[in-house]
C-alpha cells in the first residue's frame, strides 16, 4: 500500500482495522472457551480430584463485567501491538519493506549491552532475595519466592534475547546438523521465539509456584488472625450449656465462647 502511494496514516488505520476484525471474534471465542474451561476445571476438582481440595465445595461464578474487562483489555493490547508494529514498519521506505526481511532484525549493540546488564542485575536481585529469605526466614515465604522467581524469569528472558545475535546470518560449512537447523529456525524470527519462550516460562513458573507454595494450616493456629480464630477446639453440643460454672468445672484452664450453630438457635448452643 505504501508503494502504491497510500499515506502512512491511512495504511496504519487499515492495519488497525484488519487487526480489529481478526482479534474481535478471537477475543469473544477466547472468553467463551475460558469460561467453559474454568467450569470444567472446577467440576473435575469437585468430582474426580476431590482429594486435592480436601473435598472443599467449589462453586462456579461468572461476572459479566469481569469478562468484559478481560476481553476489552485483550483487544486493547492487540491493537496497541499492531499500532506499534505498523509505526515501526512505516518508518522505512516502501522499497526496503518490499526487499528486506524485517523478521530477522536484531537489537543494536548498544541496546544489547543494556539488555545484558539489566539481565545480570535481575539475576543478582533474584539471588540476593533468595539468600535473604533463607538467612532471615519470614512468616510468609510467598513474597520472597515470587520476587526472586520473577527476577530470575526476567533475567533469563533478557539474556536469552541476546542469543539470536550470534546465530542470525551465520553460515555452517558442510552438511548442517539437526540441532543447527533447529537453532537457526528458532532465531529466524527471534521475537516470536522469545515470546513463545516467555509464555512457556511464565506458565511453568506459575505451575511450580502453586505446587511448591502450600500454606501450612496448622502454623500460627493459636493466633486470632489465623483461620482458626485462635480457638484450639470447636465443639458442638445437643444440649445447651447454660451454666458457665459447669463449663468452668469441666475445663478449668480453658476459656469458652458460645456460638449459634444455626439461625434461630439460642446463643448457648
Amino acid at each position: 500500500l505504501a508503494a502504491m502511494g497510500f499515506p502512512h496514516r491511512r495504511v496504519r488505520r487499515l492495519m488497525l482495522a484488519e487487526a480489529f476484525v481478526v482479534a474481535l471474534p478471537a477475543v469473544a471465542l477466547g472468553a467463551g472457551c475460558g469460561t467453559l474451561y474454568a467450569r470444567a476445571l472446577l467440576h473435575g476438582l469437585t468430582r474426580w480430584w476431590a482429594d486435592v481440595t480436601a473435598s472443599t465445595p467449589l462453586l462456579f461464578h461468572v461476572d459479566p463485567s469481569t469478562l468484559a474487562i478481560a476481553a476489552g483489555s485483550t483487544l486493547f493490547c492487540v491493537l496497541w501491538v499492531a499500532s506499534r508494529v505498523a509505526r515501526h514498519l512505516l518508518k522505512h521506505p516502501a522499497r526496503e519493506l518490499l526487499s528486506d526481511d524485517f523478521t530477522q532484525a536484531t537489537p543494536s549493540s548498544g541496546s544489547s549491552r543494556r539488555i545484558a546488564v539489566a539481565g545480570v542485575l535481575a539475576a543478582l536481585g533474584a539471588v540476593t532475595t533468595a539468600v535473604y529469605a533463607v538467612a532471615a526466614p519470614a512468616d510468609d515465604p510467598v513474597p520472597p519466592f515470587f520476587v526472586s522467581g520473577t527476577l530470575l524469569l526476567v533475567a533469563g528472558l533478557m539474556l536469552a534475547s541476546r542469543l539470536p545475535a550470534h546465530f542470525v546470518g551465520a553460515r555452517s560449512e558442510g552438511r548442517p546438523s539437526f540441532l543447527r537447523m533447529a537453532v537457526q529456525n528458532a532465531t529466524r524470527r527471534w521475537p516470536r521465539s522469545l515470546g513463545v519462550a516467555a509464555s512457556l516460562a511464565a506458565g511453568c513458573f506459575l505451575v511450580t509456584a502453586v505446587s511448591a507454595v502450600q500454606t501450612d494450616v496448622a502454623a500460627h493456629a493459636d493466633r486470632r488472625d489465623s483461620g482458626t480464630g485462635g480457638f484450639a477446639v470447636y465443639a458442638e453440643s445437643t444440649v445447651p450449656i447454660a451454666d458457665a460454672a459447669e463449663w468452668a468445672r469441666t475445663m478449668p484452664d480453658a476459656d469458652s465462647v458460645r456460638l449459634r450453630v444455626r439461625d434461630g438457635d439460642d446463643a448457648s448452643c
Side-chain angles (χ1 to χ4, degrees), residues 167-207:
F167 297 99
V168 172
R171 297 181 180 273
S172 58
E173 298 181 357
R175 185 176 180 180
S177 62
F178 179 80
L179 179 60
R180 184 76 180 183
M181 294 176 60
V183 171
Q184 289 184 345
N185 181 66
T187 56
R188 179 176 177 269
R189 294 185 178 181
W190 69 267
R192 179 188 61 184
S193 301
L194 187 62
V196 173
S199 300
L200 294 176
C204 293
F205 173 69
L206 290 177
V207 171

Side-chain angles (χ1 to χ4, degrees), residues 114-128 151 154-155 158-159:
R114 289 193 295 270
I115 291 175
V117 171
V120 172
L121 292 177
L124 292 177
V127 174
T128 303
L151 290 176
V154 172
M158 287 185 174
L159 296 178

Side-chain angles (χ1 to χ4, degrees), residues 216-261:
D216 185 5
V217 295
H220 310 293
D222 56 337
R223 292 169 48 173
R224 295 294 298 273
D225 58 350
S226 64
T228 62
F231 293 98
V233 177
Y234 281 84
E236 181 178 347
S237 63
T238 56
V239 179
I241 303 176
D243 189 2
E246 181 181 354
W247 176 265
R249 288 192 302 270
T250 305
M251 300 185 68
D253 298 331
D255 296 329
S256 63
V257 176
R258 291 176 289 184
L259 305 173
R260 301 184 181 186
V261 178

